[in-house]
Amino acid sequence: MVTAADVTDDDATRPDPQLWYAPDVVPAVAEAVTRELAALSPDAAPYFDAQHTAWTAELQPYLAAVAALREGSAGHTCATTLTAWGPMARAVDLADATPPGFLRSLRSGSEPAPEDVEAFETALRAGDVDVLVHDGAADGGPADRIRDVAEDAGVPVVEMTAFPPDDDGFVDWQVTQLAAVAGALSEEG
């Protein structure tokens, strides 16, 4: 069996279940799955190789969008209410301005402490955040409050989701989201 955590040698006590937001992991997992399937069914190896080649070609716009965002993100900060965004933010060299206590609460699925919400709001109002990546699936609560403060402070807000919409494939979904972040950063200047 192939797991993304195995491919990345993720030995964390709490592995990240959303590794598809780590752009180096996506092609590595595809390669590992192809090798595993070919080993399990050698007669079908040419088919698996062809599928891998097709997927690799399909992935190119995504990899190009990651590279373009990395080029345009130098010196910029982001903050997030979507925990899945962290690996991508690191991959494109966006400095994370999310207060650590707020992030811990997101990861644990608990409500953030009032002082963490206040720290987030202060960072937004002070101009310490260039773009807010907001959990598009958030339904009220602190995440939506943070979005409202960002909008009031003139911080561009990009709505993202942890999973692709039913009618979008992985590449289209990610390219659209990455383009939105790039656009927000170019607006921000």
Side-chain angles (χ1 to χ4, degrees):
M1 175 170 48
V2 173
T3 69
D6 290 339
V7 171
T8 62
D9 295 324
D10 188 352
D11 61 357
T13 57
R14 187 168 180 225
D16 187 345
Q18 298 168 327
L19 286 171
W20 54 89
Y21 264 98
D24 57 327
V25 172
V26 174
V29 168
E31 176 67 31
V33 168
T34 301
R35 283 193 314 267
E36 181 74 10
L37 290 172
L40 292 171
S41 185
D43 291 344
Y47 172 78
F48 298 133
D49 288 339
Q51 294 303 303
H52 180 259
T53 298
W55 169 245
T56 300
E58 185 179 336
L59 204 55
Q60 294 313 300
Y62 162 72
L63 297 174
V66 170
L69 182 54
R70 187 179 301 116
E71 286 179 23
S73 65
H76 287 285
T77 61
C78 71
T80 188
T81 63
L82 178 69
T83 58
W85 171 249
M88 182 64 76
R90 288 187 296 278
V92 298
D93 296 328
L94 277 168
D96 190 355
T98 311
F102 194 93
L103 270 180
R104 277 191 300 279
S105 68
L106 286 177
R107 289 185 185 123
S108 70
S110 62
E111 287 293 310
E115 60 269 18
D116 294 326
V117 174
E118 183 178 331
F120 209 147
E121 292 174 355
T122 298
L124 291 165
R125 289 185 181 117
D128 296 336
V129 177
D130 295 328
V131 63
L132 174 68
V133 172
H134 179 259
D135 184 349
D139 191 18
D144 284 350
R145 179 175 162 185
I146 293 297
R147 181 203 54 223
D148 294 344
V149 170
E151 289 172 345
D152 289 347
V155 175
V157 176
V158 176
E159 299 284 331
M160 286 197 178
T161 58
F163 303 99
D166 290 338
D167 57 345
D168 255 357
F170 173 81
V171 172
D172 291 339
W173 167 60
Q174 284 289 326
V175 167
T176 299
Q177 293 189 136
L178 293 169
V181 174
L185 289 174
S186 68
E187 282 177 29
E188 196 278 332

